[in-house]
Amino acid sequence: MEPQRAPRRRLPRAERTRAARAVAALHEGVAHRAELRAVGVTRADVRTEVCAGRWTLGGKHTVVIGTGPLTDDARHWQAVWESGSGAVLDGASALLASGLTGFTPHRIDVSMPRNSRRHAVAGVVRHLRSAMPPTVQVGVPRVKPEWAAIHAAQWAVSDRQAALLLCLPVQQRLIPTARFLRAWQASPRGGRRHALIDVIVRDVCDGVHSLGELDFARLCRDRGLPAPSRQVVRSLPGGRVYLDAGWQGIGLVVEIDGGHHALALNPIGDALRQNDVVLSGDRVLRIPVLGLRLHPDAFMDQVVRAHEQLRSAAA
């Protein structure tokens, strides 16, 4: 007869709480049952806290140390733990976990090995893969940003959202352009939106850092204008500056203003820079991104008129 295993000693409540909070602090307020057991918090301890209303369950593996609503980061941990073995965040969710701002996903995407046991989780979409993409293991397990951005664009609800999800990570310096281009060149051919993603990735890796600049380049082509130079460098009294687009041969500069240009003291810096550019001999047109989206014809009429005037003057 096998000797009976002695029951594990249950921690006093205060000690149990301290141990559980220390684990949960690493995961935005949630803890995996296995990690709780590793610090001495037993199943019986968890059951006691849940029955007392001090903790809640977030699934088979997830314990919420407290009763408040889960943060986005806590939901990410829950999605990874509950979806199945080997699951990692992917797409826009992985970008958000890597620091992306300015976009809120309406779901959580995870990728996982095709042969893993998997479980349905509310609000989570699973993507089964024969070969897993490169991942980041610091913090919540997630796909590397350059791959996550490509996947996010493929899963986006519209072409415009796909473009936004490709531009934002570059604009926010989450993805070096060289690494982004290498990931795209190594990705499987023929996926959803392949042609669109190919154009946008090559554009953003060539110096376009916002969706507005992409729109502007396309609108110039549609109007028959020659392609403007991007991220034009000017040496001004305040130092070197990078202008969004321009035609250097005729002295026309176009600045595409995102929402951040209206924040805090940014208008002062923008005004000083524009004045310096004008005083150096260039004509500057400013186009808010919102204006480019809502009234593209009106703004492009101005660009065409300016281009024709300056081209004639330079002839």
Side-chain angles (χ1 to χ4, degrees):
M1 179 181 299
E2 294 184 2
Q4 291 187 343
R5 181 180 299 174
R8 295 185 64 177
R9 181 182 70 88
R10 297 186 60 182
L11 296 175
R13 180 183 165 194
E15 189 176 342
R16 173 196 314 159
T17 301
R18 282 195 298 271
R21 285 179 177 172
V23 173
L26 303 174
H27 311 112
E28 290 293 321
V30 295
H32 195 289
R33 284 182 179 270
E35 292 184 329
L36 290 176
R37 289 196 297 272
V39 296
V41 180
T42 66
R43 287 182 177 271
D45 291 330
V46 172
R47 186 165 54 248
T48 296
E49 294 296 325
V50 170
C51 290
R54 292 185 289 268
W55 298 354
T56 55
L57 297 180
K60 181 178 180 181
H61 304 290
T62 307
V63 181
V64 184
I65 309 303
T67 56
L70 297 182
T71 65
D72 287 338
D73 287 339
R75 292 186 188 280
H76 289 160
W77 284 105
Q78 178 190 37
V80 168
W81 290 338
E82 300 297 330
S83 294
S85 175
V88 296
L89 293 180
D90 203 344
S93 303
L95 292 175
L96 190 67
S98 292
L100 184 76
T101 60
F103 182 80
T104 302
H106 68 282
R107 69 187 195 193
I108 298 176
D109 287 290
V110 300
S111 283
M112 56 190 301
R114 186 175 299 277
N115 59 357
S116 291
R117 294 186 61 182
R118 47 194 181 271
H119 309 280
V121 181
V124 177
V125 176
R126 301 185 307 273
H127 304 272
L128 306 181
R129 300 187 177 279
S130 299
M132 291 291 287
T135 58
V136 177
Q137 294 297 331
V138 176
V140 61
R142 61 192 184 277
V143 172
K144 287 188 174 181
E146 59 270 30
W147 290 92
I150 293 168
H151 300 158
Q154 292 170 336
W155 302 332
V157 298
S158 67
D159 288 351
R160 176 164 288 277
Q161 186 183 92
L164 182 66
L165 288 165
L166 292 169
C167 292
L168 280 179
V170 175
Q171 182 183 24
Q172 296 176 15
R173 305 295 192 266
L174 297 181
I175 307 175
T177 54
R179 203 169 72 193
F180 200 9
L181 188 58
R182 285 198 300 271
W184 173 240
Q185 291 170 340
S187 64
R189 305 292 94 182
R192 188 181 182 204
R193 293 195 177 98
H194 178 85
L196 174 71
I197 295 172
D198 186 63
V199 169
I200 294 174
V201 168
R202 294 181 188 281
D203 272 345
V204 298
C205 291
D206 188 36
V208 179
H209 296 305
S210 75
L211 187 57
E213 292 168 45
L214 287 175
D215 287 339
F216 181 70
R218 174 181 56 79
L219 291 169
C220 286
R221 291 194 298 269
D222 292 345
R223 290 298 191 103
L225 292 172
S229 299
R230 298 165 181 170
Q231 296 296 297
V232 178
V233 181
R234 288 284 191 274
S235 294
L236 302 176
R240 289 180 22 155
V241 299
Y242 294 84
L243 307 172
D244 293 332
W247 292 268
Q248 301 191 60
I250 62 174
L252 176 59
V253 170
V254 176
E255 287 281 71
I256 311 298
D257 293 341
H260 67 282
H261 283 270
L263 298 177
L265 301 180
N266 286 346
I268 298 175
D270 288 343
L272 287 169
R273 182 172 72 164
Q274 176 171 328
N275 293 346
D276 277 335
V277 173
V278 171
L279 291 171
S280 72
D282 286 318
R283 183 178 298 182
V284 179
L285 297 182
R286 305 196 75 91
I287 305 179
V289 168
L290 185 59
L292 196 63
R293 293 175 179 174
L294 298 180
H295 304 288
D297 290 337
F299 280 105
M300 290 308 299
D301 284 345
Q302 294 179 337
V303 174
V304 170
R305 292 206 312 271
H307 190 277
E308 289 176 349
Q309 292 172 7
L310 293 173
R311 184 184 60 185
S312 297

